[in-house]
Amino acid sequence: MERGEPRDGTIRVLLADDEHLIRGALAALLALEEDLTIVAEAASGPEAVAMARAQDPDVAVLDLQMPGADGVQVATQLRDEVPGCRTMIVTSHARPGHLKRALAAGVRGFVPKTASAQQLAEIIRGVHDGNRYVDPELAADAISTGDSPLTAREAELLGLAANGAPVAEIAERVSLTPGTVRNYLSAATAKLGAENRHAAARMARERGWL
């Protein structure tokens, strides 16, 4: 049997969540399902990628926000590096923009943490079978919010500004002149109709565009 193939018809699952208590409880509950086997657990984005490479799971259940790399970034890596692993995101604080990023990364499931273990197990089975599940409320929000008006560069610089970095530091990090950085930030601020770059960053984060 090749590594990563289902054993005795079971679905091999990777769990990634930086909250140890939640991850441990979820692992214990899912392990009660006869057709699910937890083959690895991870507490960060990089650890999740490393575990997926090593264990070649069938389905990776990823927390949206993790240290090192978020769930969408991890899903993007797994799509390229562990193509046999289907991915799904579980989160307690999703925004419409997060859903769109996740779908673009090939994520097959987007589930709120309010889902029961039984519901999550059913969604894992569906994702493993090639189906897609998106939380209906989040899907409706995504449709009503619309797409981000920001370019990739504007979003990148606004994200750095959101962490409080001054223009000079941002310019050095991205190898641009301070004037060019100011122009990008001004354009992003104008597109969002915000008072300043800090308000623009806050608005963009609330909508999941960063």
Side-chain angles (χ1 to χ4, degrees):
M1 181 175 62
E2 296 294 328
R3 180 170 64 91
E5 288 186 0
R7 298 173 181 174
D8 302 324
T10 62
I11 300 170
R12 295 161 51 81
V13 180
L14 161 68
L15 289 180
D17 194 314
D18 62 325
E19 297 184 63
H20 297 271
L21 186 61
I22 291 177
R23 189 180 71 247
L26 189 56
L29 290 169
L30 290 178
L32 298 175
E33 302 289 332
E34 292 184 358
D35 59 337
L36 302 182
T37 300
I38 309 302
V39 296
E41 296 182 40
S44 69
E47 186 180 2
V49 174
M51 288 292 184
R53 288 174 183 151
Q55 297 296 330
D56 199 13
D58 300 308
V59 179
V61 181
L62 310 169
D63 188 23
L64 177 62
Q65 295 191 341
M66 295 185 289
D70 68 24
V72 177
Q73 291 170 322
V74 171
T76 301
Q77 279 191 262
L78 297 188
R79 178 188 61 191
D80 298 331
E81 299 177 25
V82 192
C85 175
R86 292 191 166 97
T87 54
M88 51 188 289
I89 299 287
V90 180
T91 181
S92 58
H93 34 246
R95 297 290 184 268
H98 295 146
L99 171 59
K100 294 183 179 183
R101 285 178 56 224
L103 294 178
V107 170
R108 305 293 301 182
F110 208 92
V111 190
K113 282 189 176 179
T114 52
S116 68
Q118 185 177 8
Q119 288 175 314
L120 186 60
E122 288 297 329
I123 295 168
I124 290 172
R125 294 182 185 106
V127 166
H128 176 257
D129 290 341
N131 299 322
R132 175 176 285 147
Y133 176 86
V134 176
D135 177 62
E137 184 175 342
L138 187 59
D141 287 344
I143 293 171
S144 63
T145 298
D147 294 326
S148 171
L150 304 174
T151 66
R153 178 64 93 175
E154 289 167 352
E156 176 191 11
L157 299 182
L158 203 57
L160 294 173
N163 296 325
V167 168
E169 180 182 327
I170 295 173
E172 184 175 353
R173 289 177 63 178
V174 298
S175 301
L176 294 173
T177 66
T180 300
V181 170
R182 287 193 187 91
N183 288 340
Y184 275 117
L185 292 175
S186 295
T189 300
K191 286 181 179 179
L192 298 180
E195 296 179 2
N196 52 54
R197 65 175 182 269
H198 302 296
R202 185 171 60 253
M203 184 184 302
R205 273 193 168 166
E206 288 174 352
R207 297 179 183 180
W209 292 339
L210 296 185

